[in-house]
């Protein structure tokens, strides 16, 4: 590592004067935190050959608090990754905003604090990122001075990193910054000996904890209340020394106090029946704990304390909560694959992965990432579950397998010698959900990798969460495929070619629910004429789609036997009532006579078609009609005849094309008319794409959309 001066050295930037080989990141981080009065922070560096940010140094809090984010994929929805992707400062003002924007962080750290993240970048090169935090007493907005100081400090550090790269001085991880001492601030206020005597006289217990929760001092009253001699407390964490305090709820209070810098408290039962009150007073250097006997808590009861090593449990809980929050966002199988690649694999240091499932007694490759040649991963597709390969064996046995080197793997599975994948270590994790195996997650490492017991336990635990997400995703994909197959079967596969009429159609499903709905269209040829219909059955489910199919079939049948437009609508209306459904439908039916240039229209509560004339003028055909289909068995549907001259375009659509939250329906219809007027001379397929384009790109469509365009051609 190297410190490179840019001519702006000052007493608060020791990194500018650091000799070659001295620390570069930690002095810069310390100076930055001092400038903006932040109480914790970290510097990330971009991994050389991976789209991953790796934490290089942390200050102000134990690194275990940030365990799930020591390695962060650039695509992760986290502040530091977003700062790098968008090359800007990311500001999170508090707990509520963190929960709304970054729920994965809020799940693991549900405390009140503010955070700023910035990229470390020069010109077109990104070197890493920085984040700093404040207690929630910080104002809801960063001041202009703070923004300037943060930006300037990151620019200076990025410049030094660039110079270090130019001079081939590698910059890597540095030891985390030591806990700042408070002795200097107290100098001259009280003699240390007298302070100890004063505290010893107090009737309640006092303990001093460092940032890691280790006891640095305890008075006699504290030792008496806790039932532990001072020698058993010093240098240990309270929850590690006292089994009855070994509960994540108590550790959570310690974490909350440090991160939020708020006083926190809790009550705990010291067996057999003594209730003690703990009050934690935090600072940037540690915590002071006041211990006293609790009152009026005899009726309180707590669960039995848990046992285990505290630090390991904290790391495990953090990882589980982080991944659990991320997996709730996964919908389909490919979402799960992408999430594992961007969130899970970087955290555990894996460079590639394969997600395997099974179908018909054979392996199926559900997805993979990290292999430059897709054939390396896809060669497992179709292998029988009885094959002597670890992916199949782990899936059928439900027992994880860890191979620290290629030699270990090939010793048990000699067939792998013939198919090397360029990796050097592997973890094969069975994905078991609802008591049955649903797949195997294969994590591959570019270098030999040891799997100690705690890491194996974490990987196995997290694989259970992945299994649940994969089971849900497989079910969703199956339903999604079924819904799309049903929708495709109920709509025309193509439009017939008609003399004198050119036609184009588009259908877009809703983006919510099963992506299936009741919108339909059809074009039915008859002798010398044609019929066009478009409609919308209420609802977005299989029932609506099934009724839509019945209506479309009925309209086609009534048209084929020669019923007039009004009669077709009346017959369809009676059919819906006879079916006994509680759903309604809107519809527009047109009888086209291209030889005469005439159209007869009947309408049942449907949005009016648009007619674009050859001169570009657009008319809304808001003509007489009847009620929705399925309401009144005696309803009649009046018809209207109008001219359709060569070059004219008829636009039939469902309400999903013009309805959107917060937009007036008249304004939306006028906008559609303007787009039709301006582009009506384009080829009909291009015009159809243009009319639905603004809706097709929307992230959320509450309703499905059908569009049918008809253009009259000269005979």
């Amino acid at each position: 590592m190297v410190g490179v001066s840019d001519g702006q050295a000052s007493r608060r930037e020791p990194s500018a004067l650091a000799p070659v080989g001295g620390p570069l990141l930690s002095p810069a981080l310390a100076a930055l935190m001092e400038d903006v009065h932040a109480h914790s922070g970290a510097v990330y560096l971009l991994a050389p050959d991976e789209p991953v940010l790796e934490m290089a140094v942390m200050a102000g809090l134990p690194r275990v608090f940030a365990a799930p984010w020591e390695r962060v994929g650039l695509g992760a929805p986290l502040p530091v990754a977003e700062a790098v992707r968008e090359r800007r400062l990311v500001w999170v003002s508090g707990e509520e905003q963190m929960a709304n924007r970054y729920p994965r962080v809020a799940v693991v750290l549900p405390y009140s604090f503010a955070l700023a993240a910035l990229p470390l970048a020069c010109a077109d090169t990104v070197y890493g990122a920085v984040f700093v935090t404040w207690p929630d007493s910080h104002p809801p907005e960063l001041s202009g001075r703070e923004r300037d100081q943060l930006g300037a400090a990151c620019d200076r550090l990025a410049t030094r990193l660039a110079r270090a790269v130019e001079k081939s001085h590698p910059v890597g991880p540095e030891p985390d910054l030591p806990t700042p001492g408070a002795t200097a601030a107290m100098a001259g206020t009280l003699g240390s000996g007298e302070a100890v005597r004063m505290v010893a006289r107090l009737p309640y217990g006092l303990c001093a904890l460092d940032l890691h929760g280790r006891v640095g001092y305890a008075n006699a009253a504290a030792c008496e209340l806790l039932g532990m001699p001072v020698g058993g407390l010093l240098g240990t964490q309270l929850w590690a020394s006292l089994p009855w305090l070994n509960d994540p709820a108590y550790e959570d209070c310690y974490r909350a106090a440090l991160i939020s810098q708020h006083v926190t408290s809790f009550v705990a039962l010291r067996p057999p029946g003594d209730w003690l009150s703990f009050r934690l007073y935090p600072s940037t250097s540690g915590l002071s704990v006041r211990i006293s006997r609790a009152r009026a808590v005899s009726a309180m009861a707590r669960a039995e304390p848990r046992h285990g090593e505290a630090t390991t449990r904290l790391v495990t809980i953090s990882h589980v909560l982080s991944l659990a929050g991320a997996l709730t966002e996964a919908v389909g199988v490919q979402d799960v694959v992408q999430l594992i690649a961007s969130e899970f694999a970087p955290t555990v240091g894996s460079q590639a992965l394969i997600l395997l499932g099974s179908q018909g007694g054979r392996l199926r490759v559900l997805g993979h990432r990290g292999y430059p040649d897709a054939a390396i991963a896809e060669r497992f597709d179709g292998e029988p579950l009885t094959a002597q390969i670890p992916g199949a064996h782990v899936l059928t046995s439900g027992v994880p397998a860890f191979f620290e080197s290629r030699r270990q793997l090939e010793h048990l599975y000699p067939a792998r010698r013939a198919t090397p994948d360029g990796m050097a270590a592997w973890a094969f994790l069975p994905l078991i959900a609802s008591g049955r195996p649903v797949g195997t997650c294969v994590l591959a490492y570019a270098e030999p990798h040891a799997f100690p017991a705690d890491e194996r336990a974490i990987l196995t635990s997290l694989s259970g969460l992945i299994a649940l997400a994969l089971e849900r995703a497989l079910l969703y994909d199956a339903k999604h495929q079924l819904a799309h197959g049903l929708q495709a079967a109920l709509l025309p596969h193509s439009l017939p070619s008609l003399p004198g009429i050119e036609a184009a159609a588009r259908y877009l499903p809703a983006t919510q629910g099963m992506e299936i709905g009741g919108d339909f269209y059809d074009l039915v040829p008859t002798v010398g004429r044609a019929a066009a219909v478009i409609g919308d059955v209420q609802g977005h489910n299989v029932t609506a789609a099934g009724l839509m199919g019945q209506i479309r079939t009925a309209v086609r049948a009534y048209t084929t036997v020669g019923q007039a437009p009004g009669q077709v609508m009346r017959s369809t209306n009676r059919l819906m009532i006879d079916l006994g459904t509680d759903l309604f439908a809107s519809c527009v039916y047109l009888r086209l006579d291209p030889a005469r240039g005439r159209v007869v229209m009947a309408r049942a509560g449907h949005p009016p078609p648009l007619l674009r004339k050859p001169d570009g003028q657009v008319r809304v055909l808001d003509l007489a009609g009847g009620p929705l289909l399925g309401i009144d068995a005696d309803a009649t549907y009046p018809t209207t005849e109008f001219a359709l001259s060569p070059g004219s375009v008829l636009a039939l659509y469902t309400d999903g094309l013009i309805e959107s939250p917060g937009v007036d329906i008249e304004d939306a219809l006028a906008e559609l008319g303007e787009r039709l007027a301006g582009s009506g001379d384009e080829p009909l397929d291009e015009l159809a794409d243009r009319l639905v384009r603004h809706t097709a790109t929307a992230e959320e469509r509450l309703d499905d959309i059908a569009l049918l365009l008809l253009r009259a051609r000269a005979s």
Side-chain angles (χ1 to χ4, degrees), residues 334-360:
Q334 292 310 309
D335 294 333
V336 175
V337 174
Q338 183 57 41
L339 190 146
I340 298 171
S342 61
E343 302 288 328
F344 182 41
T347 300
V348 299
S350 170
Q351 284 73 47
L353 71 93
I354 305 174
L355 197 63
L356 299 172
S358 65
Q359 184 179 15

Side-chain angles (χ1 to χ4, degrees), residues 23-378:
L24 170 62
L25 305 178
S26 50
L29 178 60
L32 170 60
M33 291 172 57
E34 184 182 352
D35 281 341
V36 297
H37 306 294
H39 86 289
S40 74
V43 178
Y44 286 83
L45 295 178
L46 192 63
D49 301 315
E50 299 178 86
V52 172
L53 293 168
E54 296 179 325
M55 185 180 290
V57 63
M58 188 169 181
L61 289 174
R63 182 175 286 230
V64 68
F65 283 21
W69 309 293
E70 287 194 284
R71 284 173 56 89
V72 174
L74 290 184
L78 299 171
V80 288
E82 184 174 313
V84 170
R85 289 196 306 271
E86 301 183 9
R87 301 286 291 271
R88 66 176 180 87
L89 183 150
V90 173
W91 167 247
V92 184
S93 62
E95 184 177 10
E96 182 176 351
Q97 196 175 96
M98 184 69 78
N100 289 334
R101 294 172 56 188
Y102 307 102
R104 302 181 192 179
V105 178
V107 166
V108 180
L109 301 176
Y111 315 118
S112 298
F113 65 97
L115 178 146
L118 299 92
L120 295 174
C122 291
D124 297 327
T125 304
V126 176
Y127 299 99
V130 170
F131 80 75
V132 289
T133 70
W134 297 262
D136 71 345
S137 57
H138 189 284
E141 297 294 336
L142 279 174
S143 67
R145 181 189 68 82
E146 288 173 323
R147 287 179 177 271
D148 292 342
Q149 288 178 318
L150 286 169
C154 289
D155 288 343
R156 288 193 294 270
L157 180 54
T159 300
R160 295 189 180 97
L161 289 170
R163 292 178 181 175
V165 171
E166 291 175 2
K167 296 186 177 183
S168 300
H169 294 307
V171 178
E174 299 176 6
D176 290 346
L177 291 177
T179 302
T183 306
M186 297 178 59
T189 61
L190 189 67
S192 59
E194 183 59 31
V196 171
R197 287 190 290 272
M198 180 193 73
V199 171
R201 292 191 292 266
L202 294 176
Y204 45 80
L206 287 177
C207 288
L209 309 184
D210 66 12
L211 292 180
H212 297 275
R214 296 184 293 252
V215 178
Y217 172 80
N219 68 355
C223 295
E224 181 181 353
L225 288 169
L226 296 175
M228 177 71 70
V230 67
L233 292 175
L234 292 181
T236 70
Q237 297 167 319
L238 288 177
W239 50 87
S241 301
L242 303 168
W244 48 276
L245 281 180
N246 191 7
D247 188 309
Y250 303 145
E251 289 183 45
D252 186 67
C253 291
Y254 145 75
R255 291 161 57 120
L258 277 186
I259 295 176
S260 67
Q261 292 291 291
H262 286 177
V263 176
T264 63
S265 60
F266 62 89
V267 176
L269 174 64
R270 175 195 163 187
D274 293 331
W275 287 94
L276 301 181
S277 172
F278 294 78
R279 194 162 181 84
L280 285 65
Y281 299 86
S283 74
T284 56
S285 60
L287 301 98
S288 296
V289 183
R290 183 182 185 274
I291 308 170
S292 60
R293 296 190 183 277
R295 300 288 185 265
V297 293
S298 59
M300 296 175 60
R302 294 193 57 86
E304 287 297 318
R306 305 176 195 177
H307 300 278
E309 208 286 320
T311 302
T312 301
R313 185 176 65 250
L314 278 174
V315 174
T316 305
I317 291 174
S318 297
H319 281 89
V320 169
L321 288 175
S322 178
L323 186 62
L327 286 171
T328 60
E329 302 172 14
V331 178
V333 171
Q334 292 310 309
D335 294 333
V336 175
V337 174
Q338 183 57 41
L339 190 146
I340 298 171
S342 61
E343 302 288 328
F344 182 41
T347 300
V348 299
S350 170
Q351 284 73 47
L353 71 93
I354 305 174
L355 197 63
L356 299 172
S358 65
Q359 184 179 15
R362 294 185 177 274
L363 285 178
R364 289 289 177 258
V365 176
L366 303 177
H368 56 84
R369 297 290 188 276
Y371 290 98
D373 185 359
I376 293 176
E378 293 172 357

Side-chain angles (χ1 to χ4, degrees), residues 10 14 48 67 84 116 121 132 166 181 186 231 243 309 334 445 458 545 586 621 635 648 653 675 699:
S10 70
V84 170
V132 289
E166 291 175 2
M186 297 178 59
E309 208 286 320
Q334 292 310 309
Y445 299 76
I458 290 175
S586 66
L621 299 178
S648 298
Y653 55 91
R675 293 202 304 273
E699 292 185 4

Side-chain angles (χ1 to χ4, degrees), residues 542-604:
V542 174
T543 302
L547 183 58
M548 174 266 283
Q550 291 175 300
I551 293 175
R552 176 174 166 249
T553 301
V555 169
R556 178 174 279 266
Y558 298 141
T559 299
T560 302
V561 299
Q563 289 189 0
Q567 184 61 39
V568 170
M569 298 295 275
R570 288 193 296 271
S571 299
T572 306
N573 177 53
R574 284 195 297 270
L575 172 66
M576 283 195 64
I577 293 175
D578 291 342
L579 290 173
T581 177
D582 293 330
L583 301 179
F584 309 127
S586 66
C587 187
V588 168
Y589 182 90
L590 303 178
R591 178 65 56 81
L592 307 169
D593 189 346
R596 295 177 52 240
R598 307 298 294 176
V599 178
V600 179
M601 181 177 79
R603 188 157 67 101

Side-chain angles (χ1 to χ4, degrees), residues 428-447:
F428 290 82
L429 308 175
L431 304 179
I432 301 174
S434 304
R436 64 182 185 86
V438 295
T440 301
C441 179
V442 184
L443 299 174
Y445 299 76
E447 302 294 335

